[in-house]
Amino acid sequence: MNRMKKLKQFLVLFFVFWSGITFADGYKVLYLGNSYVYTNDLPLQVAKMAESTGDNLIYESNSPGGCFFSGHTQNGTSISLIQQGDWDYVVLQGQSQEPSFPDVQFYSQTYPYAQQLCQMVSTYNPRSHAVFFMTWGRKDGDAINCLNFPPLCTYEGMDSLLYLRYMIMGEDFGAWVSPVGALWHYLRDNHPEINLYSSDGSHPNEYGTYVAACCFYTIFFQKNPTAITYHSNLSSEQAQIIKDAAKTVVYDNLSLWMNPHVSTSIADYESKNEFSVLIQPNPVEEELSIVSDNSISEIVIYSIDGKEIYRKIIGSNEEIINVSNLKSAIYIISISDKQQNMVYRKFFKK
């Protein structure tokens, strides 16, 4: 009788244990980034947040310092980890400046390699999601590249470009976006008393990493981050401010980050330049119509690898360009006004 009772107890315990393993919320995550990932061990912070809410997260990371997207496409460890397969999420982060560079540079030196990584993730992990790590503008802008590209001279300019480019890549490649930069922007605007930067004005301090971790937890599990009880070394009050912000920016807008759409960020960027341009149709077969609220001084078209293929001086607010001779591909068009303001667009030639 005792033997039968013990057997029943064993079966009950086994069933409970097995059920917990089978039905627990758990994911396998691969992080491919650089120092923004390994500083303060971002993957571990996300895992501890998951543990605090009863969720499970297993992760691997390959994040060489200063690595670009192009570097990961040639990195044997990154390639091998992607090819292992069975990842639920693969996080992709570019070098902190590269997505904010001028459009011609972005589309020739960043965009193709990010696309290559997304395609590789899809090939070896058909049920997974590539997730772009939207980074943040440097505390006072990018002083190194400011002279050659004025939009980078301020935090606002650099941050708006990073937002735009990561959303473009998310939309174009069918990837999700973890909007860490957008969450940083919200906190900078609404809680300036919380400093997110380390002394170099670029890397995250422990607060900045906690912000990034809250963002990734929310994206991975699609759960309200206010349930997180892990606070790292932050006070409960500081952690609560960040978790509430993550709910507002990330959780309450999950559909935007899981289905990125570029128009929002383009509107933000244009409002800072006070220069509106409409190009249509897009995609185009024969004639591309360009309409601006400013007088256009010059139009330049570049191939995706940065080669100039068309240039024309204009003196009106409208122009029609015959592109029927162009091969089917993505192109970059630069439109300048008389005040030397410049707007970039991409279009697809059918």
Side-chain angles (χ1 to χ4, degrees):
M1 191 75 176
N2 288 335
R3 290 175 61 187
M4 183 63 68
K5 184 176 181 181
K6 287 181 180 179
L7 177 60
K8 288 181 178 179
Q9 289 174 338
F10 171 79
L11 290 174
V12 169
L13 289 172
F14 176 80
F15 176 77
V16 171
F17 178 72
W18 178 84
S19 297
I21 291 177
T22 304
F23 298 110
D25 291 320
Y27 294 112
K28 290 184 64 179
V29 180
L30 172 61
Y31 295 83
L32 300 179
N34 48 59
S35 58
Y36 276 26
V37 169
Y38 71 67
T39 296
N40 304 316
D41 202 340
L42 171 62
L44 178 62
Q45 298 289 315
V46 181
K48 287 185 175 181
M49 288 182 177
E51 183 181 13
S52 79
T53 60
D55 298 307
N56 299 314
L57 192 151
I58 300 171
Y59 65 87
E60 289 281 349
S61 177
N62 187 41
S63 300
C67 195
F68 288 68
F69 284 128
S70 59
H72 281 293
T73 65
Q74 303 168 36
N75 184 291
T77 300
S78 295
I79 294 171
S80 176
L81 285 168
I82 292 174
Q83 292 177 343
Q84 281 183 20
D86 200 31
W87 300 107
D88 294 293
Y89 300 108
V90 179
V91 175
L92 304 173
Q93 181 230 328
Q95 190 269 352
S96 61
Q97 296 157 293
E98 67 165 319
S100 67
F101 291 154
D103 274 26
V104 172
Q105 192 170 346
F106 165 71
Y107 278 105
S108 62
Q109 299 177 15
T110 300
Y111 186 95
Y113 300 103
Q115 183 178 33
Q116 186 176 334
L117 288 169
C118 285
Q119 290 172 340
M120 196 181 305
V121 170
S122 178
T123 298
Y124 292 97
N125 304 266
R127 290 183 297 275
S128 75
H129 294 284
V131 180
F132 282 110
F133 179 171
M134 178 196 288
T135 54
W136 49 85
R138 295 191 172 181
K139 190 172 185 178
D140 299 306
D142 184 353
I144 295 175
N145 295 292
C146 166
L147 292 177
N148 294 322
F149 191 42
L152 298 181
C153 293
T154 64
Y155 160 77
E156 291 282 350
M158 181 179 183
D159 193 68
S160 65
L161 283 165
L162 289 169
Y163 182 105
L164 171 62
R165 281 6 181 326
Y166 274 110
M167 293 296 277
I168 285 174
M169 292 188 291
E171 181 179 33
D172 286 1
F173 308 148
W176 292 5
V177 174
S178 181
V180 181
L183 183 52
W184 272 49
H185 201 141
Y186 178 91
L187 286 163
R188 277 186 54 138
D189 288 346
N190 295 279
H191 295 280
E193 73 278 7
I194 300 180
N195 175 39
L196 306 174
Y197 296 88
S198 63
S199 59
D200 66 2
S202 173
H203 288 83
N205 60 19
E206 61 183 346
Y207 296 92
T209 298
Y210 190 84
V211 170
C214 278
C215 193
F216 276 106
Y217 168 86
T218 308
I219 290 294
F220 292 159
F221 293 96
Q222 293 104 59
K223 291 184 177 181
N224 189 330
T226 59
I228 295 168
T229 59
Y230 171 74
H231 294 160
S232 185
N233 294 319
L234 282 62
S235 69
S236 58
E237 292 79 9
Q238 293 166 328
Q240 192 63 48
I241 288 172
I242 292 171
K243 290 186 292 182
D244 287 343
K247 177 185 181 301
T248 299
V249 175
V250 188
Y251 182 71
D252 291 348
N253 297 282
L254 278 173
S255 61
L256 173 62
W257 315 123
M258 295 164 68
N259 299 282
H261 196 273
V262 176
S263 60
T264 302
S265 52
I266 288 178
D268 289 344
Y269 182 57
E270 282 188 345
S271 66
K272 294 177 175 60
N273 286 273
E274 298 180 350
F275 181 23
S276 177
V277 172
L278 174 66
I279 66 168
Q280 60 182 4
N282 190 8
V284 58
E285 289 190 61
E286 295 187 357
E287 292 187 335
L288 189 67
S289 171
I290 303 167
V291 180
S292 170
D293 60 359
N294 287 9
S295 179
I296 301 170
S297 63
E298 187 176 52
I299 292 175
V300 185
I301 297 177
Y302 301 89
S303 61
I304 198 67
D305 59 0
K307 296 178 181 178
E308 180 181 321
I309 58 176
Y310 177 92
R311 180 183 292 266
K312 186 176 181 180
I313 304 298
I314 311 293
S316 67
N317 292 57
E318 300 181 17
E319 181 67 16
I320 294 178
I321 301 175
N322 190 313
V323 295
S324 59
N325 62 324
L326 298 181
K327 66 179 183 180
S328 178
I330 294 174
Y331 295 88
I332 312 302
I333 185 166
S334 165
I335 302 102
S336 306
D337 68 6
K338 292 182 179 179
Q339 287 72 46
Q340 301 304 307
N341 295 313
M342 192 173 295
V343 170
Y344 296 92
R345 290 288 183 273
K346 65 175 181 177
F347 68 88
F348 180 73
K349 168 60 173 62
K350 291 184 179 179

